[in-house]
Amino acid sequence: MNLATALACLLIPAGLVPAGIVMAQAQVSSGLNALDVRDLKPGQFIWAPQVAPEGPVVLVVSLDEQRAYAYRNGMAIGVSTISSGKPGKDTPTGVFTILQKNKDHRSNLYNNAPMPYMQRLTWDGIALHGGSLPGYPASHGCVRLPQAFAEKLFAITRHGDTVVVANAKAAPASVVHPAVLAPVTQTGQVHGRTFDEYEVFWDEAAPATGPLSILVSLYDNRVSVLRNGVLIGSAPLQKVNDVALHGSVLLVMTTEMEDIPSFLDKGQRQHRWVAHRVLGEEGVEMPSLAQLSSAYWVPDAFSRKLYAILQPGTTVLISDLPGVRGTTAERATEPVLESAP
């Protein structure tokens, strides 16, 4: 599915340009169709934060389109052109959380090159930041954003917010780079633990506040729960009914409730969720939340713990892609970030 087609309709209703939209580094003329994100020129973006004034942020980066789509509280509030990694320095696809933010960061590898409004995605060199956008992939692996868009995005994100990097040209089963989710310990180091097939993990001492994100990897048959980007829970996932996902679906929890039992805790009411497909096959219908919840099983004690910590704005990414990246060694908290002028 073409991400521009799938997400542009969520960004701006057909025939309506919301008040307050900002188009940066270019004049908006009557000849430019702001509703078609494919027409954005390098360095241009659309920004409509009034669509959702508050809530956790999810950024979806499309490498083949060289676009980034920003959601807040499940609503699309912006889209921007980008410049990702050049050949040989490719930006990895996957699911990330924001690990660190620094608006005045400079590279210690490329002549102290500026990386304004840097938001770190991995401890080994991948980040979002402001930079030059020549109209094609040109970075050393990072995702460059227009300076003004990088500043606006930096102002609304928090540690632990979710960033999805997708390549819509590839079917989910044939993505070359495995999806990357690099949870960290509370001291800021990469969580290097791997789990046995049936092992359940829950950190009872984990903080009770902060952005909550959940990755359901149908490839790995595992659920991973993160608070502030830190892994606080993990459990095996078992398929019990034949339901095909055909891609990746992003769910965002609302403040509303349904008058039906929750699929996580039958003694509690079901939360209402907003669903968006972020990667998938064109023309294939997305299964309903009820179909998905009936198709997979996690241990009861784990699911009840998970229900108890849910909060409005919680994000759940259900994907055919691999999930947590295995690593055998913890990395230092101040690694080199790659960049270029």
Side-chain angles (χ1 to χ4, degrees), residues 83-332:
S83 180
S84 58
K86 61 187 178 182
K89 294 285 188 178
D90 303 270
T91 301
T93 58
V95 184
F96 304 82
T97 55
I98 295 173
L99 303 175
Q100 185 185 61
K101 299 176 62 174
N102 184 348
K103 71 181 184 67
D104 299 314
H105 187 82
R106 286 183 172 269
S107 171
N108 53 358
L109 183 63
Y110 291 97
N111 300 319
N112 206 35
M115 299 174 64
Y117 302 101
M118 183 276 293
Q119 303 190 66
R120 188 192 297 272
L121 302 183
T122 76
W123 292 114
D124 54 2
I126 305 301
L128 309 167
H129 65 83
S132 62
L133 276 72
Y136 51 85
S139 80
H140 285 76
C142 293
V143 177
R144 295 184 194 165
L145 304 167
Q147 178 88 353
F149 184 86
E151 181 179 359
K152 293 176 184 297
L153 185 68
F154 188 95
I156 67 171
T157 58
R158 301 176 293 179
H159 291 83
D161 280 339
T162 301
V163 178
V164 180
V165 181
N167 184 351
K169 288 183 177 178
S174 64
V175 172
V176 175
H177 299 285
V180 178
L181 180 62
V184 296
T185 67
Q186 294 184 28
T187 59
Q189 295 176 309
V190 173
H191 195 294
R193 177 176 177 181
T194 57
F195 296 99
D196 294 335
E197 184 177 2
Y198 301 107
E199 184 177 358
V200 177
F201 163 74
W202 192 270
D203 183 0
E204 299 289 352
T209 60
L212 187 67
S213 55
I214 302 162
L215 173 67
V216 180
S217 173
L218 309 186
Y219 183 97
D220 294 331
N221 295 317
R222 182 154 286 272
V223 178
S224 300
V225 184
L226 293 97
R227 171 87 75 186
N228 296 313
V230 176
L231 186 70
I232 65 170
S234 183
L237 181 73
Q238 180 180 344
K239 188 173 183 177
V240 294
N241 289 319
D242 190 18
V243 173
L245 183 62
H246 299 295
S248 299
V249 176
L250 179 70
L251 303 173
V252 182
M253 196 180 104
T254 73
T255 58
E256 300 177 347
M257 305 288 289
E258 305 278 2
D259 289 324
I260 57 175
S262 168
F263 61 86
L264 290 174
D265 186 340
K266 299 301 182 185
Q268 303 292 334
R269 295 173 65 196
Q270 170 66 35
H271 296 284
R272 183 169 294 174
W273 299 78
V274 176
H276 302 296
R277 183 188 288 280
V278 295
L279 180 64
E281 300 176 20
E282 188 171 2
V284 176
E285 184 178 354
M286 184 174 68
S288 68
L289 181 59
Q291 289 174 314
L292 289 172
S293 63
S294 65
Y296 299 95
W297 175 90
V298 294
D300 290 341
F302 178 87
S303 66
R304 287 194 295 269
K305 286 179 180 289
L306 184 54
Y307 182 93
I309 65 171
L310 292 178
Q311 60 196 39
T314 293
T315 59
V316 178
L317 187 84
I318 307 174
S319 179
D320 290 336
L321 296 173
V324 176
R325 177 177 61 179
T327 178
T328 57
E330 292 187 335
R331 299 175 184 270

Side-chain angles (χ1 to χ4, degrees), residues 17-34:
V17 179
I21 276 191
V22 176
M23 184 79 73
Q25 300 180 8
Q27 294 296 317
V28 182
S29 67
S30 59
L32 178 61
N33 180 9

